[in-house]
Amino acid sequence: MNISYDYYKIFYYAAKCQNITQAAAILRNNQPNVTRAIKNLEKELGCTLFLRSRQGVRLTPEGEKLYQHIRIAFAHIEAGEEEIASVRTLRQGTVSIGASEIALHCLLLPVLKEYRSLYPGIHIRLYNHSTPQAISALKNGLVDFAVVTTQSSISTDLQSVVLKEIPEIAVCGKAYAALAERRLSLADLTEYPLVCFGEQTMTYGFYSELFIKRGLNFSPSVEATTVDQILLLVENDLGVGFIPEALLKVTGKEESVCVLKLKETLPSRKICFVKHPSFSLGEAARRLEEMLRELAGTNTT
């Protein structure tokens, strides 16, 4: 049978209200139209669905059987409509983010704090990845988007935009505080123990290339796995480390370490927003993208 959905909708409300006039009011229709639709449905099905009286209408045995099915169907439809409305108004939903540690500390955290206060019903999944891991997760559809440092590992088949540039600084602990009174070159720093990430990381490659360009050997004495560890190791006098300048403020470590004055200017890091052009973002992810781009002053196009 190819019976109009509108007929079933009218039948549902008439059966639910047991009154044609009330059903017409809910449907923003008039009583003759509702009555005509019910008669057409009865004709299509070949049976009487309602018994009419001055008090209203009541279902026949056939009408009762039909109503049990229609009631379940409309409950699912209404639940679906409510769920869609909740998602569109950001009362519920999920957003998954792949974020490198530096991007998380220096940009993403304050935005997530504001986002959470605005949309407490949204479930946030945050994956702390290296930049290559975050890009791989994005390509495999495991995250909605990535917020990472450096553009060099972002393939051209992805859409990326720079959200923020963050200067790098060299820092040391109190045992090396005398270094902060001098103006140092990178060559001078090679005479002291260096603290950095391991060889397989983008950060190691970033500094290795920087030193090699100046004919210097980059050979860290201590390897860390997180930027928090670098700060902790430097703070406890295990060597000189390189960190994003913004990290000192967000971690409250300004008084715990000394910032070194360098003759060379360290290249800035770029924090990038990356998404896959073939994957459409849900409403929750789109709103977070808008907030990140608003902070950076970039468009969402």
Side-chain angles (χ1 to χ4, degrees):
M1 291 183 181
N2 188 21
I3 299 175
S4 169
Y5 164 79
D6 288 336
Y7 288 174
Y8 284 121
K9 185 176 183 179
I10 289 169
F11 166 78
Y12 169 72
Y13 281 105
K16 185 177 181 180
C17 298
Q18 295 187 357
N19 187 287
I20 299 296
T21 302
Q22 290 179 18
I26 292 173
L27 293 165
R28 297 181 181 179
N29 208 327
N30 57 56
Q31 185 172 338
N33 283 343
V34 170
T35 300
R36 188 179 304 110
I38 290 172
K39 287 182 178 179
N40 287 340
L41 179 61
E42 289 176 329
K43 182 179 179 181
E44 292 277 359
L45 294 174
C47 64
T48 301
L49 299 173
F50 291 101
L51 296 175
R52 296 154 180 83
S53 68
R54 291 182 179 179
Q55 289 74 35
V57 295
R58 59 186 178 88
L59 291 167
T60 64
E62 292 85 358
E64 186 64 45
K65 288 179 181 179
L66 179 62
Y67 179 66
Q68 294 306 316
H69 292 283
I70 298 298
R71 177 179 59 81
I72 294 171
F74 269 85
H76 283 295
I77 291 171
E78 289 171 351
E81 291 174 343
E82 175 61 27
E83 186 173 339
I84 293 298
S86 294
V87 169
R88 291 195 61 80
T89 56
L90 296 177
R91 296 199 304 270
Q92 65 182 49
T94 300
V95 56
S96 300
I97 312 154
S100 64
E101 187 185 13
I102 292 174
L104 177 64
H105 280 294
C106 296
L107 178 71
L108 188 56
L109 275 178
V111 179
L112 287 178
K113 181 179 180 180
E114 181 184 0
Y115 183 84
R116 184 66 175 168
S117 68
L118 291 172
Y119 312 111
I122 300 298
H123 181 69
I124 299 171
R125 294 195 186 108
L126 182 65
Y127 300 92
N128 190 8
H129 288 144
S130 66
T131 294
Q133 288 172 335
I135 296 303
S136 176
L138 177 61
K139 287 184 174 181
N140 291 323
L142 301 178
V143 296
D144 293 314
F145 57 78
V147 183
V148 296
T149 50
T150 74
Q151 286 183 297
S152 58
S153 62
I154 301 173
S155 57
T156 55
D157 59 332
L158 299 175
Q159 294 177 348
S160 68
V161 62
V162 176
L163 298 176
K164 185 178 182 180
E165 290 199 22
I166 48 175
E168 291 275 305
I169 56 174
V171 292
C172 66
K174 300 302 182 182
Y176 298 95
L179 293 177
E181 300 174 5
R182 300 163 47 192
R183 191 168 182 80
L184 304 165
S185 66
L186 291 179
D188 293 330
L189 293 186
T190 60
E191 300 176 10
Y192 299 90
L194 298 178
V195 181
C196 188
F197 291 118
E199 289 188 32
Q200 305 305 315
T201 64
M202 298 293 295
T203 298
Y204 183 95
F206 180 84
Y207 280 103
S208 178
E209 182 179 354
L210 179 66
F211 275 66
I212 289 172
K213 283 182 178 179
R214 288 162 176 78
L216 303 173
N217 181 40
F218 183 68
S219 181
S221 301
V222 183
E223 292 186 3
T225 56
T226 69
V227 72
D228 287 335
Q229 285 182 359
I230 290 179
L231 264 178
L232 185 63
L233 292 167
V234 168
E235 187 180 12
N236 284 274
D237 301 318
L238 272 78
V240 174
F242 299 96
I243 62 169
E245 185 178 20
L247 194 64
L248 283 185
K249 183 176 181 180
V250 299
T251 57
K253 296 287 188 180
E254 295 104 320
E255 303 300 323
S256 301
V257 297
C258 302
V259 178
L260 302 180
K261 297 183 287 289
L262 299 180
K263 294 177 181 178
E264 298 94 343
T265 300
L266 297 179
S268 296
R269 300 286 194 98
K270 292 179 173 66
I271 298 180
C272 304
F273 174 90
V274 191
K275 65 180 179 180
H276 200 297
S278 300
F279 302 154
S280 60
L281 297 180
E283 198 68 28
R286 278 199 298 270
R287 179 61 190 123
L288 183 52
E289 177 188 3
E290 288 173 1
M291 292 177 66
L292 287 166
R293 287 176 176 262
E294 285 166 6
L295 179 68
T298 63
N299 296 323
T300 54
T301 55

